[in-house]
Amino acid sequence: MGLCDSVRFWRWQHGSAGAFRAGVGVLLLGLSLAQSIPSQAVCRAVATQQNLTEYEYQGPEDTEETPNSGFLSAFVQSFLHTVQPNPLPKDLILELVQDVNKVLSNQDLVKEVLVYEVGFLVCAAIGVLYIVLMPLVGFFLACCRCCGNCGGKMYQKQSSSIHCRRRTLYWSTFITTAIILAGNICMFKSNEALKVTVDQTSEGLSETFDHINAFLTAVPQEVNHVVNESYKTIQEVTRNLETIGPQLGAEIQEQFRDTLWPALDAVRLLDEDTNNTSDQLNKLNTSLSELQSSVERLQANVTAVRNRINQTLSNPDCSGCDTLLSELQKLDTLDSAITIPNLKELQSAVDEVIKINLSSRVKEVEDYFNSIPQRVTDDTSDVVKSSKRLLNDIEAQISKLSDDIPLSTLNNITDTLVKLKRDIVKFTPELERGEQIRWSVCVALCCVVLLVVVCNFLGLILGPLGLKPKADPTKRSCMADCGGTFLMMGAGFSFLFSWLFMILVLVLFLLGGNVYTLVCRPWDNGQLLKLMDTPGLIPGFELGPSLGLKSEINISDVYKACEENKPLWTTLHLNEIIDLEDLLNVSKYTDQIQSFFDSADIGLSTITLLSPEVKDQLGSFSTKSKDVDSIDITPQINNVSSINLNTTADKLDQLANLQSNNNIKKELQDQSRDLRQIQADIDTIIIPQMENVNTSIAGLQSLAEKINGTVGEVLSKVGEAQDFLNTNTTQIVKTESQKFVDCQLGYFIVYADWANLTITLHVGRCGPVADAVDFAETLICLDVVESLNAFWFSLGWCMIFFVPSIILSIKLAKYYRKMKYSDIFE
């Protein structure tokens, strides 16, 4: 009747060990997407994978609004496109770089350079001609005027068209001066734009370096983040292995619970009902014993009284006593009126069931199944130790990821940028002082041009205000003469400074124009980066070999990839130097893991819940409990209740009153009193005791009915549970073990997806690099070169219009100046 009579052992099958092997074998590869693992109860909740925090780059912001230097961009670029329509001469530049020491000796190469620069040479020739002729013309003009020629004679011939010619010269001079003023305004604006750009350059460069340094610092942190997340997986799997007993054992218990626990609950209920039945039987036996004692005493009393009454009635001296002989028959029926039920068989059956001690059997089963986690822990202790040692080996392999990625190159770049930033900070004061001098010089140049404009406008204003058209030329007012003098001053200043300014225009034109055509324009259309891709252009600079790549990578391709904010994995073709699949593949450990778990035996026995002997006893108990249903003493209670000895006592009293014999009379009265006392005992003792017995029997019958159902339920559920355990114990253990293995495998599979996705698509998104290059292009080309080109273009514009301004001013001045000789036109 034991509950643990038979024991069977099971062994983990190859499939379970293989699955667990695969789970640990991919240990590097699993954590952050763990929320996508199919829900399994054996999987403890793992820490949610923290997504990679990508570095967000923001370009430097101007601290103040930069004056618009692009207002002349269209004009300047159109002019430069006309001067230099040819594309970037890649072949020519390569020849110059490769033969830099023999450039002058190579006539063909010099010829190619001159042909390419023919547009600039033509413009330079025009500028040189301007520089040479302007002072010569001014010198000869001054000499001629001093000799009284070339308008130097203070005489003006009067004619009918003189006023028309004066007005024509006036408006021509005004328009020319206005054009020069517009160019002068452009000079001021471009000079101020260049100053603001230079002032903000150091701050912008410093911010750009900071962002690049932050990006370069973030890349190792992102790689370490990926590695650290794999450590979390190792720690999680290690914890699962250390708690394999509680986790796996609890799941095995849970599979048995739905079938086993209802059976145990039924056994507990049967045990409770059996104890209640025993208590009820004890109570009934006590009541029956008391009733039996009372009945026996009653029957003895009735017999004694009946015998005395019979003797008295049989006395010859008793008169009329024959009539009461029939009453004696009622006393005879009283002796057999009460029958006590026999419950010995039921009591025996109850005692047998109690001896079984069902509660101890239930406790034994509970203790056995509560020990399953500890059994799993004990039987897998060697496997856990071996697996944990293997996890340490895999953890060491994970750390190689940081070593294989060329992070040292990034550190070298960081050191270079830090040094460059220090140099910029060091030379910033010198740059600011130099820029202040440059700005002051350019402002002075602008003011000189403005002086010519002011002289012209003063002449254009004072001349007409002081002029009387019909007045004699020798009698013109001082105001008109002053206006003519201002016009001559403007022409003199133009002659004096224009050729010097043209030298500056020529130098800035050759510098800024070539920078635009050779650097900025190719930079904008991508030709410059393609040129830099040419092998050998920059001696000692080979991006691919410096990173340890087998193939060469182009700077232009790197820039395009960074423009799209692609990761370093694809941008730098790191797959050529890092075999990520091989690095993350730990399948070489699978054979070891397989041998570990092939040697693991977890002993788990099946259980005999109720032995056949116990089932037979329960069946006998159920059968005998049915006999209680046939016990019914209610009729006996009714029979006893129908007995009324007081009637017989009354008749004895009546008969006693008729007796003349006092002895007989006294005997009849005593017998009547005894009958009344017996009737009182029946009413106060026997009937209540019989009712109490009847109540106990009713309670026992209720328990018996319940026991019949409970025994049937116990036998049914215990049979189902026993069949389930006998059939499914081994399979349950194997299935739950497989789930545990799959759970660990799930961690690694998800981490594999996350790690590969993160490393190949998210680590080191190089958008900040492209933004830094774009910032450099904006700073050099759109701010510095564009402002510089706008300045020389504006200055050259003014110098060109100085020529018509000189001619028109000199001619117009004679119409306002006071003449020495008069001429009259009628």
Side-chain angles (χ1 to χ4, degrees):
M1 294 188 300
L3 295 178
C4 302
D5 297 333
S6 61
V7 178
R8 294 165 55 195
F9 293 93
W10 67 281
R11 183 183 182 85
W12 278 18
Q13 301 299 318
H14 176 74
S16 297
F20 196 91
R21 176 194 67 228
V24 181
V26 202
L27 179 60
L28 174 63
L29 310 176
L31 180 62
S32 81
L33 305 178
Q35 57 268 25
S36 65
I37 301 176
S39 178
Q40 298 176 357
V42 291
C43 289
R44 287 195 315 182
V46 295
T48 303
Q49 173 64 43
Q50 295 182 355
N51 292 328
L52 190 65
T53 301
E54 296 182 8
Y55 173 73
E56 295 183 0
Y57 171 79
Q58 294 180 351
E61 297 180 357
D62 292 340
T63 56
E64 58 180 285
E65 183 180 358
T66 302
N68 182 16
S69 61
F71 55 93
L72 285 179
S73 297
F75 295 99
V76 177
Q77 292 176 9
S78 177
F79 174 73
L80 291 176
H81 276 284
T82 303
V83 173
Q84 182 56 278
N86 300 317
L88 183 69
K90 297 181 181 179
D91 298 336
L92 182 58
I93 293 176
L94 290 176
E95 291 182 16
L96 291 173
V97 171
Q98 295 173 357
D99 198 18
V100 65
N101 296 324
K102 300 180 180 179
V103 172
L104 298 178
S105 61
N106 191 336
Q107 298 299 323
D108 294 335
L109 188 58
V110 172
K111 183 178 181 181
E112 290 183 21
V113 172
L114 294 177
V115 170
Y116 179 78
E117 293 286 336
V118 64
F120 284 95
L121 294 177
V122 171
C123 293
I126 296 174
V128 171
L129 185 63
Y130 185 100
I131 293 170
V132 173
L133 292 180
M134 184 61 73
L136 290 177
V137 171
F139 176 75
F140 285 116
L141 180 62
C143 292
C144 289
R145 291 183 67 84
C146 290
C147 295
N149 297 318
C150 298
K153 186 177 180 181
M154 301 302 291
Y155 168 76
Q156 185 179 25
K157 185 179 179 180
Q158 301 293 309
S159 65
S160 59
S161 60
I162 188 172
H163 299 299
C164 181
R165 288 198 300 271
R166 176 173 52 81
R167 293 188 183 94
T168 301
L169 290 174
Y170 179 88
W171 288 111
S172 299
T173 304
F174 180 83
I175 293 172
T176 303
T177 305
I179 293 174
I180 296 174
L181 177 62
N184 186 238
I185 294 173
C186 292
M187 290 174 61
F188 276 107
K189 292 190 67 176
S190 58
N191 181 51
E192 185 63 24
L194 183 57
K195 182 180 186 301
V196 173
T197 298
V198 174
D199 290 342
Q200 296 179 356
T201 295
S202 60
E203 181 181 356
L205 288 176
S206 178
E207 291 181 5
T208 301
F209 288 152
D210 290 340
H211 285 291
I212 293 297
N213 284 333
F215 163 73
L216 296 176
T217 304
V219 172
Q221 295 175 353
E222 292 172 351
V223 174
N224 292 332
H225 176 78
V226 175
V227 175
N228 292 336
E229 290 302 326
S230 67
Y231 295 158
K232 290 182 181 179
T233 303
I234 295 176
Q235 295 171 0
E236 183 65 25
V237 174
T238 301
R239 285 194 297 268
N240 290 343
L241 289 175
E242 291 173 347
T243 59
I244 185 175
Q247 291 193 51
L248 182 55
E251 290 306 313
I252 294 173
Q253 290 175 322
E254 189 64 28
Q255 296 304 314
F256 290 135
R257 191 180 304 277
D258 292 341
T259 302
L260 183 62
W261 258 239
L264 294 181
D265 291 339
V267 174
R268 292 189 190 95
L269 181 60
L270 177 59
D271 182 61
E272 182 181 353
D273 291 343
T274 302
N275 291 328
N276 292 336
T277 302
S278 177
D279 294 340
Q280 195 68 27
L281 277 173
N282 292 333
K283 182 179 179 182
L284 180 58
N285 288 331
T286 301
S287 299
L288 287 174
S289 176
E290 294 176 356
L291 178 61
Q292 185 69 31
S293 175
S294 298
V295 168
E296 289 176 353
R297 184 174 62 253
L298 175 63
Q299 289 177 345
N301 292 335
V302 170
T303 300
V305 172
R306 185 182 65 236
N307 292 333
R308 292 201 306 272
I309 292 174
N310 189 32
Q311 291 177 0
T312 302
L313 293 179
S314 299
N315 193 332
D317 294 334
C318 182
S319 60
C321 292
D322 295 338
T323 58
L324 290 178
L325 291 176
S326 61
E327 292 293 334
L328 295 177
Q329 295 178 355
K330 296 180 180 180
L331 298 180
D332 293 337
T333 59
L334 182 60
D335 293 340
S336 59
I338 300 176
T339 303
I340 303 301
N342 187 1
L343 300 175
K344 292 183 178 180
E345 292 184 358
L346 178 60
Q347 183 67 55
S348 176
V350 171
D351 293 340
E352 291 296 328
V353 174
I354 290 177
K355 288 180 181 179
I356 296 173
N357 196 358
L358 295 177
S359 61
S360 66
R361 303 304 182 187
V362 172
K363 184 65 168 59
E364 185 178 352
V365 174
E366 289 178 343
D367 292 342
Y368 176 79
F369 279 92
N370 289 336
S371 68
I372 289 177
Q374 186 59 45
R375 293 191 182 193
V376 174
T377 300
D378 295 340
D379 293 340
T380 58
S381 59
D382 293 338
V383 175
V384 170
K385 292 179 181 178
S386 301
S387 299
K388 289 171 67 175
R389 286 196 298 268
L390 195 58
L391 293 182
N392 294 332
D393 296 339
I394 297 174
E395 183 175 0
Q397 179 174 336
I398 297 174
S399 61
K400 295 180 180 179
L401 181 63
S402 301
D403 299 333
D404 291 343
I405 295 178
L407 299 178
S408 59
T409 303
L410 300 180
N411 296 332
N412 296 335
I413 297 175
T414 301
D415 295 339
T416 302
L417 291 178
V418 171
K419 181 180 178 180
L420 184 58
K421 181 181 178 180
R422 287 199 300 265
D423 293 340
I424 291 176
V425 173
K426 178 180 179 181
F427 291 105
T428 295
E430 300 293 336
L431 178 64
E432 291 177 351
R433 285 193 294 270
E435 170 57 23
Q436 186 63 34
I437 295 173
R438 183 210 63 79
W439 179 82
S440 301
V441 171
C442 289
V443 168
L445 296 179
C446 296
C447 291
V448 171
V449 176
L450 182 61
L451 177 62
V452 174
V453 172
V454 169
C455 290
N456 284 355
F457 274 121
L458 287 175
L460 294 174
I461 293 172
L462 297 177
L465 289 178
L467 178 67
K468 294 181 179 179
K470 295 184 179 181
D472 190 305
T474 59
K475 298 179 180 180
R476 289 173 180 167
S477 65
C478 293
M479 182 179 293
D481 185 65
C482 186
T485 302
F486 273 115
L487 290 174
M488 293 301 296
M489 289 175 60
F493 286 134
S494 299
F495 273 120
L496 184 62
F497 295 105
S498 60
W499 66 278
L500 295 174
F501 290 173
M502 183 56 72
I503 296 175
L504 180 62
V505 170
L506 181 59
V507 173
L508 295 180
F509 163 69
L510 293 176
L511 175 63
N514 279 286
V515 170
Y516 172 77
T517 57
L518 294 176
V519 178
C520 294
R521 188 168 65 187
W523 197 341
D524 182 62
N525 57 30
Q527 293 182 5
L528 182 63
L529 294 179
K530 291 182 179 180
L531 175 63
M532 295 178 66
D533 292 335
T534 305
L537 178 66
I538 304 177
F541 179 77
E542 294 181 357
L543 186 57
S546 64
L547 295 175
L549 301 178
K550 299 177 182 178
S551 61
E552 182 60 49
I553 59 176
N554 297 327
I555 297 178
S556 58
D557 293 337
V558 172
Y559 173 75
K560 290 179 181 178
C562 291
E563 255 191 332
E564 298 173 2
N565 200 24
K566 290 185 177 180
L568 292 179
W569 182 266
T570 55
T571 301
L572 300 180
H573 302 172
L574 296 181
N575 58 302
E576 295 184 8
I577 59 175
I578 304 174
D579 190 347
L580 190 59
E581 293 183 359
D582 180 68
L583 181 63
L584 303 180
N585 182 16
V586 288
S587 59
K588 56 187 176 181
Y589 298 103
T590 56
D591 293 338
Q592 300 178 45
I593 299 172
Q594 180 178 0
S595 63
F596 294 159
F597 284 94
D598 283 346
S599 61
D601 287 324
I602 298 180
L604 189 63
S605 62
T606 55
I607 297 174
T608 301
L609 300 179
L610 293 178
S611 65
E613 293 83 359
V614 172
K615 293 180 181 178
D616 293 340
Q617 291 177 350
L618 293 179
S620 176
F621 177 43
S622 177
T623 302
K624 292 179 180 180
S625 64
K626 295 179 181 178
D627 296 338
V628 181
D629 297 338
S630 61
I631 299 176
D632 189 4
I633 65 171
T634 301
Q636 299 184 50
I637 296 175
N638 295 333
N639 291 335
V640 174
S641 299
S642 63
I643 297 175
N644 189 357
L645 297 180
N646 291 331
T647 302
T648 304
D650 291 340
K651 291 180 179 182
L652 288 176
D653 288 337
Q654 293 175 3
L655 183 61
N657 293 332
L658 297 177
Q659 302 298 321
S660 57
N661 188 336
N662 290 331
N663 292 330
I664 293 175
K665 182 178 180 178
K666 185 174 183 307
E667 290 178 359
L668 290 174
Q669 289 176 346
D670 292 340
Q671 293 166 1
S672 173
R673 185 178 61 254
D674 291 339
L675 287 177
R676 293 183 188 278
Q677 183 61 44
I678 291 174
Q679 184 63 48
D681 290 341
I682 291 174
D683 293 337
T684 59
I685 297 176
I686 300 299
I687 291 178
Q689 288 181 347
M690 292 185 71
E691 290 177 350
N692 189 23
V693 170
N694 192 42
T695 301
S696 298
I697 291 175
L700 186 61
Q701 288 174 343
S702 176
L703 286 174
E705 293 177 358
K706 185 177 180 182
I707 285 174
N708 291 332
T710 303
V711 171
E713 183 179 4
V714 166
L715 295 178
S716 174
K717 291 185 176 180
V718 167
E720 293 177 0
Q722 190 67 60
D723 293 340
F724 179 81
L725 294 177
N726 294 339
T727 306
N728 300 313
T729 297
T730 302
Q731 184 61 38
I732 285 175
V733 173
K734 182 165 60 175
T735 300
E736 294 306 319
S737 301
Q738 182 67 49
K739 287 183 179 180
F740 181 84
V741 170
D742 291 343
C743 176
Q744 313 313 310
L745 174 62
Y747 296 154
F748 311 133
I749 291 177
V750 229
Y751 179 77
D753 297 338
W754 178 84
N756 282 281
L757 183 68
T758 302
I759 293 175
T760 58
L761 296 182
H762 296 286
V763 170
R765 288 184 174 270
C766 61
V769 176
D771 292 336
V773 174
D774 293 339
F775 171 75
E777 180 185 3
T778 301
L779 176 65
I780 296 173
C781 295
L782 297 183
D783 292 338
V784 175
V785 174
E786 197 167 274
S787 299
L788 181 64
N789 288 343
F791 183 81
W792 65 254
F793 185 82
S794 302
L795 182 58
W797 174 354
C798 294
M799 296 304 102
I800 294 299
F801 282 93
F802 268 10
V803 175
S805 174
I806 291 172
I807 297 173
L808 295 174
S809 297
I810 291 176
K811 287 185 172 292
L812 181 61
K814 204 166 188 178
Y815 288 88
Y816 297 126
R817 296 183 67 186
K818 183 183 295 185
M819 300 289 102
K820 293 182 179 180
Y821 308 100
S822 63
D823 183 36
I824 300 175
F825 170 76
E826 294 182 0

